Amino acid sequence: MHAAAEEERAAELAGPLRDLLPPVDFCCAYGSTLLHARPDRTSMVDYILGVADPLQWHSENLERNPAHYSRWMRCLGSGAITGLADRVGVGVYFNPFVEWRDKRIKYGVVRMKDLAMDVLTWDRFYLSGRLQKPVHVLVDNWDIRKLNTINLEMATSASLLLLPEEFTEYDLYAQICSLSYMGDLRMLFAEDKNKVKKIVEGSFQSFQSMYRPLLQEYIAEGPLKRSSHGQQKTFWQDCSPSTTNELFSVLPWTIQRQMQGRYGLPEMSTCTVVPSKDMAANCVRRALRRRVMVSSARQAISGLLASGGAVAAQYLGKKMAKAWQSRTA
């Protein structure tokens, strides 16, 4: 896409920030809708909004846009909204099916401190997983940008541990994309079974822009070797114990600590030592599945309580229809 077209798209996506919502400290747009040149009229554009004080932000938004909230959340007020997000959900409050001009949008509001913590530690592995994939950043934040470089490195290390000795560039991006869907309850019945494939194929060049600097670093330092077969790049990774432990040491300390407890792994200074790549891969798989399963369940319950039965049923129905189409295609 040419630069002028990119600028026009960014300006269009930023419209709700200019004309509809209170100011935010960080914003990105994402979702399958953005992969299509002519999205379906019923499709929603998804936004993540980072704000310093969700209580204050929701108070202002309730005055501006009361119709964005369910009737009972309007009655309960901003304290109940933030309480529901923090105590039941994973710190994010979503308003879906918001009509704006000729489009529908869904936006999730999160405290900046919570966003930074998840990106850095994967404590909930919810928004951190989203930012491992290509997004359209509409309001940039230097702190989140810096932390996300660490997030991308951790995602690359986790994916290399899960991949075999030989793999393609597509395989790597598909594995990175899959991390945040491991254990996601929605994937059982309410998500397109081809979701990962569609995301990677629709955003391949964006994945390259995000991850190629890291791959070049790994190649220069020795853990990766590369060869090209036509258009497809093939990689070989060093699966020795020393490289495995280097990759493992990059993972968030919360993941490493959980692995120590489950497998009784020895701890040397601040690093966990794993005896084999297979054990490291199993550790990563188990840890991420548990995190994603808990977070997706909590967020689903939070969304159900926030939206009320009718809106929740509408949203779930849309998701299940897409999932059914992908399974019968």
Side-chain angles (χ1 to χ4, degrees), residues 58-59 61-81 84 93 95 305-307 311:
H58 283 295
S59 294
N61 198 42
L62 278 166
E63 292 183 9
R64 285 195 191 192
N65 303 298
H68 292 186
Y69 299 83
S70 64
R71 182 181 302 173
W72 82 296
M73 294 312 293
R74 289 199 300 268
C75 295
L76 292 173
S78 59
I81 291 168
L84 179 63
Y93 185 92
N95 279 328
L305 294 173
S307 301
V311 174

Side-chain angles (χ1 to χ4, degrees), residues 88-130:
V88 179
V90 291
V92 191
Y93 185 92
F94 280 99
N95 279 328
F97 297 111
V98 171
E99 299 287 343
W100 182 75
R101 296 186 179 172
D102 60 341
K103 299 178 178 60
R104 280 181 169 179
I105 67 171
K106 179 182 79 174
Y107 60 88
V109 182
V110 62
R111 187 179 290 102
M112 287 294 289
K113 182 176 70 174
D114 294 340
L115 173 59
M117 184 63 70
D118 190 38
V119 168
L120 185 61
T121 69
W122 293 6
D123 61 338
R124 290 166 172 168
F125 204 59
Y126 191 73
L127 298 179
S128 48
R130 170 34 54 197

